[in-house]
Amino acid sequence: MSPNRPITPSTLSPKDLPWQIDWNKSKCTLCGQCTTVCPVKAIELGVFRKREVKTPIGLLTPPKNEYSIYYGIRQKTDPAFSCIGCGMCSMVCPNGAIMPLHNDEKDKLIFHKNIGGKPRTRGGRRNESDSVLDRIKFIRISMLTDPAMDAGRHEFNLNTLLGRVLPPEAGLKAFQKNGWVPPVREIYPLIIGGMSFGALSPNMWEGLQMGVAYLNEEMGMPVRISTGEGGCPPRLLRSRFLKYVILQVASGYFGWDEIIHAIPHMKEDPCAIEIKYGQGAKPGDGGLLLWHKVNKLIAAIRGVPSGVSLPSPPTHQTQYSIEESVAKMIQSMSMAWGFRVPVYPKISATSTAMAVLNNLTRNPYASGLAIDGEDGGTGAAYNVSMNHMGHPIASNIRDAYLNLAKLGKQNEIPIFAGGGIGKNGNLAANAAALIMLGASGVQIGKYIMQAAAGCLGSESDRCNVCNIGVCPKGITSQDPRLYRRLDPEKVAERVVETFLSFDTEIKKIIAPLGRSTSLPIGMSDALGISDKDTAERLAIKYVV
Amino acid sequence: MCRLFALTSQDPVSPMLAIKALDVMREGHDGSGVGLFLSGLSGPFEDLTDCPILSGIFTTAGIRRLDKYMMDHDFMTKYKTSTRIFTAPPSGTPKRDVYLARAYEKPEAWKNMPQEQQEEEMVRIRLELRRMGEEKHDMTVFSFWPDTIMIKELGDPLTIGNYLGLDRKDFNARIILAQGRQNTNYAINLYACHPFFIQGICTMTNGENTAFLPIKEFLESRKILGYEGYQSDSEVFTHILHFTLKRLGLGIEAYKHIINPLGDKQIEEHPDGPFLKRLKETCRKLIIDGPNCVIGCLPDKSLFMVQDSKKLRPGVVGGKPGIYAFSSEVCGLDAILPDRDTTKDIQPMHLDTVIVPPTREEIHICRQTDPLHLQH
């Protein structure tokens, strides 16, 4: 280091960064693909000067310096350009000459990700790999007193209900009298949760929609997908595929002008309306679409000017109290579709969830409750919100179910769980655990991005740049140069593959438990965990 | 596994007949217990059709407490058949003081009470006696209902039958349900023994209900008198049937639509499709799972058998006008009704409910795909 090189408090070395670039000079062909592909410009072409001291034998010729230069890859240490570990450089390198490696100790960058006084914002996940759901085991195995079912040969009924179900006596009475009953949809218990058109690229959205349509129409699986808060493309609103879609309305009401105007032209009712009050990844915070991603198309669908950031308020502005406003909003939405479409709120998991649930039990129009846990993902949020705000999903779902069981309403208001399902890849096991704790179904977001589109995010803060539109896979980018990397047809294929393999795996879980005729909602006697406190908290068995 | 045998006969027969059938099928149960439900009683109980009969097992102290309780509630004993045995019990059977079946005259205060309320009262009294008995371990009460005797005991069915002298005329009946039990838990609670009974509805099961816990939670949360104290996963079958008949006002042909609803496609094609869809949705928590063969008796003394949706358990019905029997295995039928026309035996499949009405003229088969006879 030259003596006059300034050292500021935020001057870091590669060792201080979370990711270090390991570049191999002897393999590198200097093609430049890595520097081009790097979404955050963390690497650049470097010109290195090298001195070699030549010391001949004997004393007659004095030693001398020989200077040479060589070209290679240099990693930037400016916090604004630190490597995010996405590994695209290594993906494009023809010779395998470059790869990001994770620091073997906690990085120092974390202390400097606030240049200009702005705390870090990012997309992604909580970066915590521990999962209670992963630790839950299925312990009630049918063998001799009753034979296990055959996951491969027997017939299984895995569908679940979305909608307010009347108690048996009232339901049959309404049937006899031909009275109104709340709308109920029979759907597949694995739902693609709300990721907006805007947060996701057009190719990703199209791929997901195509995959869902294929699953419904060719595979006979009633899979549903939520739009997230960002409206819905006009053609989809007017197509027969709308019945596979859950339209989400959130505090920014983005896209709802378009939706309301499309109602008279709708060929089909949407599957349901989801009113988002909270998101597990950043509870108490609204949606956030940064200006990078608000291009003309997004702006048109959302009904906003392009190139401006779109932060949704943390709460619905019309809302004063749950008793009044939530009920009104549910009723207005129900009325808009002639009381033919289920309307349910989605909240972030919270210690106050029971108050919401208890209120919904008294509202005959509330069709369910979706609860999103702290492990949920997001396109954009403050780092602190993502890492530290929120409630784990398992105990929240369990409390909600037991609360309903106490009221005798466990079949009446379905609870849907979201947030961290399959975060370590164990999708079917996590989903089955939540269902047996009491969920009627689960919502996934990050998992489908990873499985269907190759999202690079992981629980060790890898990539996580969904917020600024530079997604190297083109999943969360609005830049055509990036999203053309993603072929919608291939995404659709992967969606279908993911659901089909989930279907087999979930059967492989419930068949040995002796279940096949209905989804084992609340079958907590099949669950065990090797931690006494967790077992007690979730009212499941403690097993070691 | 358990083995089941039930019969319905124009002329009263001894329960030993059913026990003999269980004995023929003994390879299928381990002789750890037997349960009996007797109705259409003859002999001294025949004329007491209006008198609720209390069945149970008591200690000497328990009998005293029972007498006091019943007298306090203005019940008069009309007839009793108590069995006090002074010989040592067979191995595996505990020594009991008194096996009791006692018919009571209803209290004065019930004279003008509506039938429905009387039925509630009988359940309430049975539950109260059960609770009292559980407190001091001196009473075990199986049923309190007119024209109904229930006996449950641990041990080999045939040995128990002889030990209790069940060939006495007092026990002759037109409807008999008998279960030979396989002990799947060491500390057998008699309340976990089949058959199970509530308000004239009785069922017994060969099988395992893997959806027991959510169903139990759902039934308990109905807050209906008697839906409590579950000791067996099969007890919920009785209560689901009770719920179907008494709360939903539906017939036995709807029972299978609740415990094993048809698939969506079949429901769409069914003449009562919209009704069945509603039934499936609202009663979703009552869907059973696992391998099960259920045999039961309805308040009108019809006997029925239903199978699980995959027909994983054996079951056969056969007989001739005047006498029909339901058995886990054909050898049970052969032992009791050797002269029946075996070509008319029916092994109900996954969609069938087999019913023998109290006329005992023929066997009715109700397929789930058939139209329901709904009252509009």
Side-chain angles (χ1 to χ4, degrees):
Chain A
M1 187 189 312
S2 60
N4 65 345
R5 178 171 165 183
I7 295 185
T8 69
S10 295
T11 300
L12 303 175
S13 78
K15 176 66 186 162
D16 300 325
L17 301 176
W19 296 92
Q20 282 116 30
I21 295 294
D22 180 34
W23 169 72
N24 186 326
K25 186 188 169 198
S26 64
K27 287 190 192 170
C28 180
T29 62
L30 299 177
C31 67
Q33 290 194 60
C34 55
T35 52
T36 310
V37 81
C38 179
V40 290
K41 306 280 170 260
I43 45 176
E44 58 189 350
L45 179 72
V47 181
F48 300 88
R49 181 172 179 255
K50 204 172 170 188
R51 182 183 81 161
E52 256 183 295
V53 182
K54 296 280 178 189
T55 50
I57 294 169
L59 299 172
L60 290 176
T61 328
K64 63 173 183 181
N65 292 328
E66 266 182 22
Y67 294 94
S68 65
I69 56 168
Y70 72 93
Y71 304 100
I73 300 300
R74 190 194 303 277
Q75 178 176 10
K76 293 181 195 170
T77 54
D78 181 338
F81 296 98
S82 58
C83 173
I84 54 173
C86 70
M88 287 304 286
C89 48
S90 127
M91 189 179 286
V92 298
C93 180
N95 282 10
I98 187 165
M99 184 181 288
L101 297 177
H102 203 271
N103 202 334
D104 59 359
E105 60 158 27
K106 190 78 192 109
D107 62 85
K108 302 289 176 294
L109 181 69
I110 191 170
F111 303 103
H112 301 280
K113 272 285 194 188
N114 54 4
I115 306 299
K118 284 163 76 178
R120 181 184 181 200
T121 55
R122 62 180 177 89
R125 66 242 349 278
R126 199 163 65 100
N127 294 332
E128 169 60 59
S129 59
D130 180 53
S131 160
V132 168
L133 298 178
D134 279 348
R135 285 187 278 131
I136 291 178
K137 306 166 206 288
F138 305 99
I139 55 165
R140 191 208 171 281
I141 309 300
S142 295
M143 253 171 305
L144 293 172
T145 56
D146 55 310
M149 300 294 150
D150 187 330
R153 296 182 187 88
H154 276 138
E155 192 182 314
F156 284 76
N157 294 316
L158 299 175
N159 290 349
T160 191
L161 298 180
L162 165 59
R164 185 59 168 263
V165 180
L166 294 177
E169 295 93 330
L172 296 191
K173 200 171 159 202
F175 183 85
Q176 279 159 1
K177 303 224 154 136
N178 215 3
W180 177 79
V181 288
V184 177
R185 307 275 196 246
E186 192 171 323
I187 64 169
Y188 197 70
L190 184 67
I191 300 160
I192 301 181
M195 293 177 287
S196 70
F197 191 92
L200 296 185
S201 68
N203 284 15
M204 181 64 184
W205 234 72
E206 195 184 349
L208 291 177
Q209 294 289 348
M210 279 198 292
V212 167
Y214 189 92
L215 284 164
N216 277 280
E217 309 214 334
E218 297 297 324
M219 308 309 298
M221 292 166 73
V223 175
R224 298 293 179 261
I225 178 169
S226 166
T227 57
E229 183 200 17
C232 187
R235 271 186 63 196
L236 181 56
L237 287 172
R238 290 164 177 79
S239 79
R240 68 189 164 91
F241 302 110
L242 186 63
K243 57 177 180 277
Y244 310 138
V245 175
I246 297 168
L247 294 173
Q248 191 189 78
V249 58
S251 55
Y253 305 112
F254 292 123
W256 272 79
D257 198 42
E258 179 71 47
I259 292 173
I260 297 292
H261 283 105
I263 290 180
H265 309 288
M266 285 180 186
K267 289 194 190 77
E268 296 271 357
D269 286 330
C271 166
I273 309 297
E274 182 176 75
I275 307 175
K276 187 187 99 172
Y277 290 102
Q279 195 177 335
K282 46 174 175 178
D285 216 348
L288 177 61
L289 191 69
L290 293 177
W291 61 268
H292 312 73
K293 294 168 76 169
V294 186
N295 62 15
K296 258 173 99 177
L297 176 65
I298 305 302
I301 288 175
R302 295 195 172 206
V304 295
S306 57
V308 295
S309 288
L310 301 176
S312 300
T315 184
H316 292 250
Q317 296 302 295
T318 52
Q319 198 175 302
Y320 302 102
S321 70
I322 180 167
E323 289 78 9
E324 189 207 343
S325 328
V326 176
K328 271 188 189 162
M329 194 151 176
I330 290 175
Q331 232 164 312
S332 317
M333 283 294 173
S334 300
M335 209 184 306
W337 273 276
F339 295 92
R340 298 185 310 271
V341 176
V343 181
Y344 66 91
K346 174 188 174 184
I347 60 169
S348 49
T350 155
S351 56
T352 57
M354 290 322 112
V356 178
L357 182 64
N358 282 327
N359 179 267
L360 294 182
T361 59
R362 288 189 280 273
N363 179 348
Y365 300 104
S367 304
L369 177 65
I371 305 181
D372 192 16
E374 61 172 350
D375 279 328
T378 175
Y382 282 92
N383 186 55
V384 67
S385 307
M386 242 184 276
N387 288 4
H388 302 285
M389 301 298 293
H391 192 295
I393 190 65
S395 61
N396 227 211
I397 287 292
R398 189 71 180 135
D399 288 353
Y401 181 78
L402 291 176
N403 183 50
L404 287 179
K406 211 162 112 195
L407 298 171
K409 289 183 183 287
Q410 62 269 54
N411 191 43
E412 297 173 30
I413 301 186
I415 310 163
F416 290 87
I421 294 141
K423 71 190 254 191
N424 294 321
N426 308 310
L427 179 65
N430 292 176
L434 281 165
I435 287 167
M436 289 181 212
L437 288 173
S440 279
V442 298
Q443 299 186 331
I444 49 162
K446 298 187 304 280
Y447 187 93
I448 202 71
M449 293 167 82
Q450 290 175 306
C455 165
L456 301 166
S458 75
E459 298 302 331
S460 38
D461 204 0
R462 183 174 165 191
C463 202
N464 288 348
V465 284
C466 337
N467 55 332
I468 49 173
V470 295
C471 172
K473 288 297 192 81
I475 304 166
T476 62
S477 171
Q478 301 305 333
D479 182 344
R481 291 168 301 177
L482 293 174
Y483 68 67
R484 73 180 173 211
R485 292 175 186 169
L486 203 60
D487 180 349
E489 301 277 351
K490 297 276 181 230
V491 172
E493 267 178 49
R494 288 293 300 146
V495 169
V496 173
E497 286 171 354
T498 304
F499 273 83
L500 292 183
S501 71
F502 172 85
D503 197 64
T504 302
E505 283 199 340
I506 198 106
K507 286 178 194 165
K508 278 284 176 195
I509 293 170
I510 69 168
L513 308 179
R515 296 299 303 267
S516 64
T517 49
S518 65
L519 196 67
I521 300 166
M523 188 193 179
S524 56
D525 54 332
L527 301 180
I529 195 163
S530 62
D531 176 68
K532 217 166 191 167
D533 293 336
T534 314
E536 195 184 332
R537 181 67 183 82
L538 297 178
I540 60 176
K541 285 198 182 75
Y542 165 57
V543 288
V544 281
Chain B
M1 256 198 277
C2 311
R3 283 295 175 266
L4 312 175
F5 191 85
L7 67 81
T8 172
S9 162
Q10 214 69 50
D11 306 314
V13 292
S14 164
M16 286 309 282
L17 211 55
I19 285 179
K20 208 194 290 171
L22 291 182
D23 194 56
V24 173
M25 298 188 280
R26 67 179 165 274
E27 280 175 19
H29 62 87
D30 65 359
S32 62
V34 62
L36 284 169
F37 164 84
L38 311 174
S39 188
L41 299 168
S42 72
F45 288 107
E46 180 138 27
D47 302 325
L48 305 176
T49 44
D50 196 37
C51 299
I53 303 170
L54 184 75
S55 313
I57 301 175
F58 296 80
T59 65
T60 313
I63 283 282
R64 266 187 234 118
R65 284 218 298 156
L66 172 73
D67 286 345
K68 181 165 183 334
Y69 177 91
M70 293 309 270
M71 262 146 65
D72 286 351
H73 287 76
D74 196 23
F75 281 97
M76 285 278 292
T77 303
K78 283 286 258 195
Y79 181 78
K80 68 171 178 175
T81 167
S82 56
T83 311
R84 296 177 70 176
I85 304 165
F86 300 98
T87 53
S91 102
T93 306
K95 175 95 182 83
R96 317 275 190 189
D97 291 352
V98 182
Y99 296 88
L100 185 78
R102 185 186 275 175
Y104 288 98
E105 189 175 329
K106 290 176 188 170
E108 269 301 302
W110 286 26
K111 275 259 160 72
N112 298 318
M113 202 186 266
Q115 180 64 19
E116 223 164 85
Q117 205 181 331
Q118 290 190 22
E119 295 185 355
E120 291 277 290
E121 278 302 304
M122 287 187 272
V123 176
R124 206 182 46 72
I125 287 167
R126 172 173 63 82
L127 293 173
E128 205 163 315
L129 289 170
R130 174 174 168 172
R131 266 192 289 275
M132 284 166 63
E134 279 170 336
E135 213 174 282
K136 298 205 168 159
H137 307 288
D138 56 356
M139 304 186 220
T140 311
V141 180
F142 304 126
S143 59
F144 184 51
W145 198 257
D147 192 24
T148 300
I149 293 178
M150 294 189 81
I151 299 160
K152 298 180 183 183
E153 187 50 287
L154 313 183
D156 175 67
L158 190 60
T159 318
I160 295 281
N162 291 328
Y163 171 65
L164 296 180
L166 293 184
D167 49 359
R168 273 180 291 161
K169 277 227 162 67
D170 282 3
F171 294 114
N172 283 6
R174 293 173 183 89
I175 304 270
I176 298 167
L177 267 65
Q179 193 234 23
R181 184 181 160 74
Q182 187 200 29
N183 172 20
T184 43
N185 51 338
Y186 274 98
I188 302 178
N189 182 330
L190 282 178
Y191 287 120
C193 294
H194 309 225
F196 301 100
F197 179 83
I198 183 168
Q199 293 192 331
I201 296 161
C202 181
T203 74
M204 56 185 181
T205 311
N206 168 16
E208 184 88 18
N209 177 14
T210 49
F212 169 57
L213 184 84
I215 296 176
K216 166 183 169 276
E217 285 174 350
F218 185 76
L219 287 171
E220 282 171 343
S221 67
R222 298 303 92 194
K223 310 282 178 236
I224 292 171
L225 192 67
Y227 291 10
E228 59 174 69
Y230 295 99
Q231 295 288 340
S232 161
D233 58 290
S234 295
E235 195 167 5
V236 298
F237 293 115
T238 322
H239 292 179
I240 297 172
L241 181 59
H242 179 266
F243 190 79
T244 308
L245 303 178
K246 302 264 177 172
R247 297 296 292 220
L248 302 183
L250 298 171
I252 179 69
E253 68 280 358
Y255 183 49
K256 193 147 167 53
H257 285 289
I258 291 178
I259 58 174
N260 288 147
L262 292 170
D264 298 332
K265 251 220 173 98
Q266 292 163 302
I267 286 186
E268 259 170 46
E269 293 161 1
H270 197 283
D272 294 306
F275 174 79
L276 293 180
K277 186 165 185 282
R278 178 71 53 81
L279 195 65
K280 183 178 178 180
E281 281 172 8
T282 56
C283 297
R284 180 173 51 150
K285 288 280 175 190
L286 297 176
I287 299 175
I288 64 158
D289 220 331
N292 290 288
C293 169
V294 184
I295 295 176
C297 177
L298 303 177
D300 72 353
K301 313 294 181 204
S302 301
L303 284 194
F304 72 91
M305 178 192 282
V306 289
Q307 296 282 352
D308 63 79
S309 60
K310 295 187 171 64
K311 165 72 181 160
L312 292 166
R313 282 288 191 253
V316 58
V317 184
K320 54 192 178 182
I323 183 162
Y324 285 94
F326 295 59
S327 179
S328 288
E329 291 175 21
V330 179
C331 63
L333 275 188
D334 290 344
I336 305 308
L337 298 169
D339 56 343
R340 75 191 192 284
D341 180 356
T342 51
T343 60
K344 291 194 174 151
D345 284 359
I346 288 164
Q347 303 207 16
M349 288 294 139
H350 69 294
L351 293 174
D352 302 334
T353 303
V354 167
I355 304 158
V356 175
T359 50
R360 303 178 182 94
E361 287 297 325
E362 58 182 357
I363 301 172
H364 288 286
I365 303 176
C366 168
R367 299 208 87 204
Q368 263 181 293
T369 44
D370 294 343
L372 291 166
H373 304 289
L374 295 171
Q375 290 172 344
H376 293 285

